[in-house]
């Protein structure tokens, strides 16, 4: 269908400034055809603006955008083979669910019989068979979300943009939709660009993740890369859970001077050259989560619950195995 | 539990309502009086004859016909221009947007007499003779405002993302307007149109300056008051005018009210 070597979306030094605000600032980006790509970042970091640039609702202040090798400049949203699932769903309140889903076909002039049939198939795909005649106001949040998904997919877009599509759903529904979205993406083979500020969601669903910070991409890579080998303090902090070790602490812990991130589950407890004191202990089913004080420094440590337990206040030996600490940019 | 208003406030409210509506009651009352020269109280007797007399007066029919045609035309023009102006102002951000918005709404704030004089001067300067169309133009100035205000308010409440969703799904600007914006606007336009019609139907001041010798219904009534002849006939016509203008205003009120509650439920 599409040449796998041509990226689905390519940004070349793309900026979008609103007056003084640099919503997107000289971003280079390649989203591969057929991948599940997540944009992760705190509020205001430019994720939505990036999506809107791809959809054509915003024009870059500088730089160029290609969609499947074609320059997007001057192409209006309705001529891009890109569809969007909006954060607030944006279902047309005066139309039925069936009409909402068939809208993309209707404006293309597809006949009534065919578009009703295809809308019905789409609704079945998102597990809403039989909901054609309802109005959006008569649906639950999760159902509206599926209608928005069906409506965006009916045009067979090459790229589907999803702006925090699960943000409004409760936890259980969100987890269920994560699984369904992922399998839908796999079976359709469409490139998904998924915006979220939930790192767990991004890491568990995406093939690759771009971490945004203040209009720039702080790091881009597979979820393991982002998780295990954050390149900057920002990524380590935002993706969460890692110990960030400052250069002076690194020396005290026996590492070469530098800024490090250290996953808590990589630290060995109960043996080694370092000595610390257990400050807190949380039992979390499969794991135990400790905070251990080593002189002035504190490390989070996670051990399997099957291993030995150390009570709060106990003195423990611990070790940072070679290569466990990941050196980050900055710090010297 | 709702607090009971103090006694004094209740009295004041009743007095206010009486003050507003008692004159209307007198109009009704004297439509049925048997005395045709003066308004004496209480009326010496009651009769339905004036309704028959009014029915058979060709000048009333002519004035009514002109008023209805003017109101319909002014409303039609207002619906088209008001909607377009509202769409432009609500959707696009451009230099001078607020100024344009103010300019459009100004005619309703301007005293009718100013609008009237201005139009008359303009017509004189351009050497345009008075006609049906000169009245229509005069009325359109304030009818547009009513439609525009209703449409702008509704457009501001319509989520911008609906328009984007439509474009995203492949609809061009025209299709988006037709399938998404217009249905959203529907009741607002209906309400605005009704109000515009009612306003135009009983307009006197601007009309006096732009009508020349033509008589719309309100102008006809005004001339009847000055030159009394079969006085109760005027009251009969007044009752009809009240009915004709009240119905659309009530309809507009209920329609927009419903739309608001539905919109509130939406999210
Ligand atoms: N139309 C606009 N006019 C002015 N500033 C804007 C506009 N759109 C976005 N911005 C600004 O650009 C920055 C990035 O906004 P954006 O919506 O892309 O953030 P985001 O990463 O999607 O955040 P969130 O997670 O809160 O949705 C913000 O500072 C925002 O205020
Ligand atoms: Mg956003």
């Amino acid at each position: 269908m599409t040449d796998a070597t041509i990226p689905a979306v390519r940004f070349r030094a793309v900026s979008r400034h609103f007056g003084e605000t640099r919503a997107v600032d000289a971003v280079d980006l390649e989203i591969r055809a057929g991948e599940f790509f997540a944009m992760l970042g705190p509020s205001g970091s430019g994720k939505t603006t990036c999506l809107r640039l791809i959809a054509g609702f915003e024009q870059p202040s500088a730089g160029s955008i290609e969609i499947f090798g074609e320059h997007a400049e001057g192409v209006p949203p309705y001529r891009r083979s890109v569809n969007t699932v909006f954060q607030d769903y944006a279902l047309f309140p005066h139309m039925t669910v069936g009409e909402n889903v068939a809208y993309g076909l209707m404006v293309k002039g597809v006949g009534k019989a065919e578009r009703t049939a295809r809308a019905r198939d789409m609704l079945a795909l998102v597990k809403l068979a039989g909901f054609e005649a309802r109005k959006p106001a008569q649906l639950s949040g999760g159902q509206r979300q599926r209608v928005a998904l069906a409506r965006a997919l009916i045009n067979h877009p090459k790229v589907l943009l999803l702006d925090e599509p699960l943000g409004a759903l409760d936890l259980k529904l969100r987890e269920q939709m994560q699984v369904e979205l992922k399998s839908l993406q796999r079976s359709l083979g469409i490139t998904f660009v998924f915006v979220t500020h939930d790192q767990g969601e991004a890491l568990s669903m995406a093939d690759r993740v771009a971490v945004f910070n203040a209009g720039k991409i702080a790091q881009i890579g597979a979820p393991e890369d982002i998780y295990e080998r954050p390149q900057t303090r920002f990524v380590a902090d935002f993706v969460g859970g890692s110990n960030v070790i400052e250069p002076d602490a690194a020396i005290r812990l026996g590492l070469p001077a530098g800024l490090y991130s250290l996953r808590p589950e990589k630290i060995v407890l109960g043996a080694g050259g370092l000595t610390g004191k257990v400050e807190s202990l949380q039992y979390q089913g499969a794991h135990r989560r400790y905070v251990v004080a080593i002189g002035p420094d504190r490390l989070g440590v996670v051990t399997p619950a099957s291993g030995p337990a150390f009570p709060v206040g106990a003195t423990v030996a611990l070790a940072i195995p070679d290569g466990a600490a990941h050196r980050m940019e900055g710090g010297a | 539990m709702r607090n009971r208003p103090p006694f004094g406030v209740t009295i004041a409210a009743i007095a206010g309502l009486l003050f507003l509506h008692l004159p209307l009651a007198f109009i009704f009352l004297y439509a049925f009086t048997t005395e045709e020269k003066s308004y004496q109280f209480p009326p010496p007797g009651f009769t339905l004859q004036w309704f028959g007399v009014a029915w058979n007066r060709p000048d009333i029919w002519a004035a009514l016909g002109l008023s209805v045609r003017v109101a319909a035309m002014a409303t039609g023009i207002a619906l088209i221009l008001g909607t377009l102006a509202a769409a432009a102002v609500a959707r696009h951000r451009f230099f001078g947007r607020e100024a344009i918005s103010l300019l459009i709404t100004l005619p309703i704030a301007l005293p009718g007499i100013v609008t009237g004089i201005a139009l008359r001067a303009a017509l004189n300067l351009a050497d345009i003779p008075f006609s049906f169309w000169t009245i229509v133009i005069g009325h359109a100035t304030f009818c547009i405002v009513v439609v525009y205000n209703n449409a702008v308010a509704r457009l501001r409440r319509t989520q911008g993302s609906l328009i984007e969703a439509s474009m995203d799904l492949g609809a061009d600007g025209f299709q988006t307007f037709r399938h998404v914006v217009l249905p959203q606007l529907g009741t607002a336009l209906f309400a605005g149109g009704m109000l515009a019609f009612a306003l135009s139907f009983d307009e006197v001041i601007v009309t006096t300056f732009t009508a020349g010798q033509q008589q719309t219904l309100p102008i006809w009534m005004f001339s009847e008051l000055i030159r009394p002849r079969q006085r109760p006939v005027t009251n009969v016509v007044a009752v009809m005018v009240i009915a004709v203008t009240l119905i659309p205003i009530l309809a507009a009120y209920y329609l927009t009210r419903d739309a608001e509650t539905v919109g509130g439920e939406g999210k």
Side-chain angles (χ1 to χ4, degrees):
Chain A
M1 203 175 82
T2 43
D3 187 345
T5 58
I6 298 177
V9 178
R10 171 180 276 153
F11 276 33
R12 282 186 223 262
V14 171
S15 295
R16 178 68 174 104
H17 298 171
F18 299 102
E20 289 293 290
T21 317
R22 301 174 164 218
V24 174
D25 197 16
V27 164
D28 286 298
L29 177 66
E30 252 187 50
I31 299 172
R32 295 174 196 147
E35 81 176 331
F36 197 123
F37 190 86
M39 293 180 172
L40 175 67
S43 188
S45 57
K47 310 175 299 282
T48 297
T49 308
C50 268
L51 278 200
R52 294 172 57 81
L53 284 163
I54 302 173
F57 298 128
E58 299 281 356
Q59 298 301 321
S61 319
S64 70
I65 298 173
E66 284 169 29
I67 297 171
F68 280 97
E70 284 170 32
H71 277 281
E73 196 183 327
V75 182
Y78 53 88
R79 284 217 211 91
R80 299 190 179 196
S81 52
V82 169
N83 285 121
T84 308
V85 176
F86 290 83
Q87 180 162 16
D88 61 356
Y89 312 142
L91 300 180
F92 306 124
H94 58 286
M95 295 184 197
T96 63
V97 165
E99 287 165 345
N100 262 284
V101 175
Y103 188 82
L105 299 177
M106 192 223 1
V107 296
K108 277 200 191 120
V110 174
K112 175 130 196 174
E114 187 188 340
R115 61 177 198 251
T116 342
R118 279 172 63 186
R120 198 186 308 121
D121 294 346
M122 256 318 148
L123 281 170
L125 185 71
V126 297
K127 305 195 176 128
L128 278 182
F131 281 72
E132 283 87 344
R134 295 235 199 145
K135 284 283 177 72
Q138 299 167 312
L139 299 180
S140 73
Q143 290 166 337
R144 281 181 210 171
Q145 207 271 326
R146 287 156 197 264
V147 175
L149 191 62
R151 186 179 70 171
L153 285 173
I154 203 160
N155 283 340
H156 299 305
K158 290 185 184 161
V159 181
L160 185 73
L161 309 175
L162 304 106
D163 193 354
E164 304 200 24
L166 310 180
L169 306 183
D170 63 49
L171 186 65
K172 189 154 176 289
L173 204 54
R174 195 153 71 212
E175 285 170 351
Q176 182 191 342
M177 281 306 295
Q178 286 173 1
V179 175
E180 285 181 21
L181 268 182
K182 182 72 194 169
S183 72
L184 197 64
Q185 190 264 340
R186 238 183 249 125
S187 63
L188 294 173
I190 294 175
T191 312
F192 274 36
V193 183
F194 185 97
V195 163
T196 177
H197 55 239
D198 176 339
Q199 54 276 15
E201 199 166 276
L203 296 177
S204 66
M205 295 173 80
D207 298 319
R208 286 195 310 145
V209 179
V211 183
F212 278 73
N213 181 25
K216 290 185 182 293
I217 295 184
Q219 188 172 351
I220 189 162
E224 300 82 38
D225 283 338
I226 306 280
Y227 187 74
E228 307 259 344
R229 289 174 289 280
Q231 282 165 5
T232 64
R233 180 200 302 271
F234 172 82
V235 177
D237 275 344
F238 189 73
V239 174
S242 251
N243 294 297
V244 174
I245 301 173
E246 303 294 334
D248 52 338
I251 294 167
R252 286 193 292 271
L253 294 172
L255 296 164
L259 186 65
Y260 292 86
S261 83
L262 175 58
R263 302 282 345 154
E265 62 275 13
K266 295 212 166 153
I267 300 172
V268 177
L269 214 54
L274 296 165
T275 311
K277 196 172 154 207
V278 176
E279 277 201 339
S280 73
L281 164 62
Q282 269 183 324
Y283 174 70
Q284 293 183 321
H287 314 281
R288 292 197 180 84
R289 180 174 290 274
Y290 297 92
V291 174
V292 180
I294 305 157
D297 309 311
R298 270 167 189 74
L299 289 180
V301 182
V302 170
T303 63
S306 53
F310 302 92
V312 173
T315 302
V316 285
L318 69 170
I320 301 169
D322 282 348
H326 169 73
R327 179 102 182 236
M328 299 193 290
E329 290 164 14
Chain B
M1 268 266 126
R2 219 183 274 179
N3 276 339
R4 254 167 183 277
F7 187 64
V9 175
T10 315
I11 292 287
I14 289 172
L17 279 176
L18 280 181
F19 179 72
L20 284 174
H21 291 282
L22 209 56
L24 286 181
F26 277 104
I27 286 187
F28 274 90
L29 186 66
Y30 285 103
F32 299 94
T33 179
T34 47
E35 165 61 56
E36 80 169 274
K37 291 263 157 26
S38 64
Y39 292 140
Q40 53 172 272
F41 191 83
F46 293 99
T47 169
L48 285 175
Q49 76 172 107
W50 303 117
F51 283 82
V53 173
W55 182 265
N56 289 319
R57 289 261 301 259
D59 55 334
I60 296 180
W61 285 109
L64 179 67
L66 181 63
S67 274
V68 169
R69 277 184 295 131
V70 165
M73 186 55 74
T75 305
I77 292 175
L79 281 176
I80 295 169
L81 295 184
T83 310
L84 292 179
V89 168
R91 273 224 46 214
H92 302 286
R93 263 172 249 148
F94 53 84
F95 177 73
R97 183 173 89 147
E98 297 309 314
I100 292 208
S101 194
L102 181 67
L103 278 181
I104 296 173
T105 40
L106 201 57
I108 211 150
L110 271 186
I113 196 149
V114 175
T115 313
I117 290 175
L119 277 170
R120 176 143 193 160
L123 292 176
N124 273 343
L125 274 178
D127 232 355
I128 299 171
F130 296 118
S131 69
F132 169 72
W133 289 104
T134 55
I135 310 179
V136 169
I137 289 171
H139 287 198
T141 54
F142 53 83
C143 288
I144 288 176
V145 183
V146 181
V147 172
Y148 170 84
N149 276 344
N150 269 279
V152 156
R154 179 65 57 86
L155 285 176
R156 294 227 161 112
R157 268 189 289 136
T158 305
Q159 305 167 47
S161 61
L162 288 184
I163 291 164
E164 290 190 345
S166 167
M167 303 278 241
D168 188 73
L169 291 164
D172 59 28
F174 176 74
Q175 288 173 314
T176 300
F177 184 75
R178 181 161 161 234
H179 296 299
V180 176
V181 179
L182 213 52
Q184 295 285 308
L185 271 182
T187 50
L189 287 186
F190 190 74
M194 289 282 198
L195 281 178
F197 190 94
L199 275 182
S200 162
F201 192 78
D202 66 3
E203 214 287 333
V204 178
I205 301 170
V206 177
T207 318
T208 3
F209 286 90
T210 55
Q213 296 306 307
Q214 309 164 87
Q215 278 195 330
T216 60
L217 201 60
I219 303 252
W220 173 88
M221 286 170 73
F222 201 62
S223 62
E224 283 303 288
L225 285 182
I226 300 164
R227 175 170 42 83
R229 179 173 60 117
Q230 299 184 315
R231 267 194 144 161
V233 170
T234 324
N235 287 56
V236 168
V237 175
V239 168
M240 302 317 288
V241 169
I242 291 173
V244 170
T245 50
L246 205 59
I247 290 166
I249 286 178
L250 284 180
Y253 173 73
Y254 281 105
L255 272 173
T256 43
R257 201 188 57 162
D258 280 1
E260 240 134 68
T261 50
V262 168
E265 274 167 12
K267 211 152 248 177

